[in-house]
Amino acid sequence: MTTAQVIDLESLQAEYDNMLRCIRCAACLTACPTYVVTHKEEEGPRGRIAIMRAIVEGQLDVTPDAVTHLDNCLLCEACTNVCPSGIEMERMGIAFRDSLTAGKTSEQPLAARLAFSWLFGDLGHFRLLARLMWLYQRSGAQWLARNLGILKLMRMQDSESLLPRVPSRFVTPKGQSVGEGPTARIFAGCIMSTAFAPTTEATARVVAAFGSRAEMTAGQVCCGALQAHSGAVERARELARQNLDAFGDGDEPIIVNAAGCGAMLKHYAALLPDESRAARFAARVKDVSEFLAGKTPRRPPRELDLTVAIQDPCHLLHAQRVSSQPRQLLRAIPGVKTVEIAEGEVCCGSAGIYNVTHQGTAAELQQRKCANIVATGCDAVVTGNPGCFVQIQAGLPKTIQVRHIVDVLDEAYTDAGLTT
Ligand code: SF4
Ligand code: SF4
């Protein structure tokens, strides 16, 4: 027998007008990754909106089935992007998860509470975890865990295979800068300042090579995306306020090299509707490709002999509507040939921690994406999001390089090796 949950509907009710915009036209179905792999109405945007609307109207209880269909949503925003009526799925999805967890913090698993408050609340804590991961990878413990079957025994081999190779040096934002010109503030993030620290250093170098003074702003914290997507919305708001304090109320652009973080930072106005500084902050946020595409580099690019497939992260393509800028930047490099990936608008299955919490669907989407990448015949696939990077890398043959767009630009425009 299934038991319905009693939830605090306040957040979901606030999105009722958003739900009413759905005219059930079906234009979103083939863009939705969970509909594409299941062909079930309740696993598509239209079905999910109908479920949420029925809950708000009191016609449907919050059954485990309803929760599962809503929890299966990747919050990828593909439906939002194609919907002719202007629905905003991420807002609805976050509101539902907020309603589900409101007032139940103590019922969340200890690991989730620790991650959201202790780990992501302080970049120092995140660096400590990253250092432990580095030790695990370099001490031989990873080799033992993989080869003695320990990961298999713990059913962790799929999640563990997604761990990026952690570098020995991290970025600690404390106001250091590189380059000359108007200031551009770099949002370093938690994953990008640790597991992808060389790419974040390269981001500062490339921003400098395009005529700005790139500053690693002190006091910044995690963007709050994982918290908001998991229903810990109050925690996301606390982090947002810390970032508003750190980046101040000036007009310098805030440059982001992780599409998921950029989408979240641009979402601060909706997250903190009563704070006017949140809207001003959100307007300053630029994905690194969006920022660079409007600038002139200090020197012409080097020639690179590379055929690259361009992977559009959902939180860049759908949530930020940025797609021409990465193509423009890559095509400006002599010798670089760009190719397009079939079904490029469909999620790779990464979606924050979706590939850990929903391994079956995530693996199906990963295989689909990787098969489409292989079919392009590319030498390398270029992305702008760390989650997509590790998801694709884990599914592709080793003959295809996976690169962050900034690392390609760094090779073309800078004398790599400068440190920040
Ligand atoms: S495209 Fe928009 S209006 Fe049409 S069914 Fe999907 S969510 Fe509803
Ligand atoms: S956000 Fe993505 S997964 Fe969720 S309903 Fe929309 S298209 Fe489907």
Side-chain angles (χ1 to χ4, degrees):
M1 201 175 99
T2 56
T3 319
Q5 287 192 55
V6 177
I7 67 169
D8 178 349
L9 281 177
E10 193 183 336
S11 298
L12 199 57
Q13 276 163 341
E15 293 300 319
Y16 188 57
D17 286 347
N18 193 358
M19 295 168 205
L20 290 183
R21 287 184 208 142
C22 178
I23 52 168
R24 305 186 58 76
C25 69
C28 54
L29 296 188
T30 52
C32 173
T34 51
Y35 183 84
V36 166
V37 297
T38 63
H39 296 287
K40 288 183 181 162
E41 176 70 14
E42 60 274 28
E43 285 291 327
R46 191 171 61 174
R48 291 194 172 111
I49 294 171
I51 292 171
M52 287 186 272
R53 184 174 164 179
I55 290 173
V56 170
E57 290 173 348
Q59 295 169 24
L60 183 72
D61 288 335
V62 186
T63 61
D65 255 7
V67 173
T68 298
H69 295 312
L70 295 172
D71 188 49
N72 286 346
C73 173
L74 295 112
L75 300 182
C76 71
E77 293 278 63
C79 51
T80 300
N81 204 10
V82 297
C83 176
S85 293
I87 62 106
E88 293 178 76
M89 182 59 87
E90 191 172 28
R91 288 182 63 125
M92 277 185 262
I94 289 176
F96 176 75
R97 292 169 194 192
D98 187 26
S99 286
L100 208 56
T101 56
K104 296 182 187 165
T105 315
S106 60
E107 291 176 26
Q108 285 175 356
L110 181 64
R113 276 184 282 147
L114 263 179
F116 294 154
S117 52
W118 184 82
L119 183 59
F120 289 100
D122 184 326
L123 285 181
H125 296 161
F126 199 87
R127 283 192 290 273
L128 179 65
L129 176 79
R131 181 63 62 210
L132 292 173
M133 277 168 51
W134 176 84
L135 263 176
Y136 166 73
Q137 291 175 339
R138 307 301 160 86
S139 65
Q142 184 177 46
W143 186 91
L144 285 174
R146 285 181 174 178
N147 290 284
L148 296 181
I150 297 168
L151 293 171
K152 200 170 172 189
L153 204 65
M154 296 169 74
R155 297 187 182 171
M156 285 181 65
Q157 70 264 52
D158 289 342
S159 320
E160 200 267 356
S161 71
L162 294 170
L163 280 183
R165 181 117 177 118
V166 179
S168 56
R169 198 172 48 145
F170 302 150
V171 171
T172 305
K174 47 190 177 198
Q176 67 272 46
S177 66
V178 60
E180 288 170 6
T183 296
R185 297 176 179 268
I186 308 290
F187 181 81
C190 37
I191 309 278
M192 292 305 297
S193 66
T194 51
F196 287 83
T199 300
T200 294
E201 290 180 343
T203 302
R205 282 196 297 271
V206 172
V207 166
F210 277 64
S212 296
R213 171 184 168 271
E215 180 193 292
M216 296 286 181
T217 298
Q220 56 177 294
V221 292
C222 166
C223 66
L226 286 181
Q227 291 80 355
H229 288 183
S230 305
V233 178
E234 262 320 305
R235 184 67 192 126
R237 289 193 181 105
E238 288 166 16
L239 292 169
R241 288 191 187 98
Q242 281 177 262
N243 279 323
L244 294 182
D245 290 342
F247 285 91
D249 216 3
D251 54 9
E252 310 90 359
I254 299 165
I255 313 302
V256 192
N257 58 8
C261 304
M264 184 65 200
L265 297 176
K266 287 181 179 180
H267 191 73
Y268 276 6
L271 189 68
L272 298 168
D274 299 330
E275 295 196 31
S276 56
R277 62 181 184 145
R280 290 195 294 276
F281 174 97
R284 293 164 61 195
V285 176
K286 302 269 180 259
D287 180 75
V288 61
S289 63
E290 193 181 8
F291 176 73
L292 295 174
K295 303 279 173 201
T296 306
R298 290 190 195 276
R299 72 174 203 207
R302 287 186 193 91
E303 185 167 340
L304 305 179
D305 180 18
L306 208 57
T307 299
V308 295
I310 301 172
Q311 188 265 348
D312 292 300
C314 295
H315 279 90
L316 197 57
L317 177 68
H318 304 311
Q320 300 188 56
R321 315 263 164 119
V322 170
S323 64
S324 61
Q325 297 89 332
R327 287 162 175 78
Q328 177 193 325
L329 289 164
L330 290 166
R331 287 171 188 156
I333 303 171
V336 169
K337 181 179 168 225
T338 61
V339 289
E340 297 295 331
I341 303 169
E343 295 185 341
E345 72 290 355
V346 177
C347 181
C348 65
S350 166
I353 54 169
Y354 194 91
N355 49 2
V356 177
T357 57
H358 295 72
Q359 292 186 359
T361 309
E364 212 169 324
L365 292 168
Q366 178 198 47
Q367 284 157 21
R368 203 170 171 123
K369 179 66 72 183
C370 289
N372 283 326
I373 292 170
V374 170
T376 66
C378 64
D379 307 318
V381 56
V382 167
T383 184
N385 194 50
C388 308
F389 188 110
V390 294
Q391 175 81 344
I392 291 168
Q393 190 173 52
L396 275 181
K398 300 287 173 255
T399 47
I400 299 180
Q401 307 166 41
V402 183
R403 302 187 67 179
H404 193 290
I405 185 170
V406 159
D407 291 321
V408 179
L409 297 173
D410 191 40
E411 193 180 340
Y413 287 100
T414 82
D415 298 315
L418 285 176
T419 54
T420 53

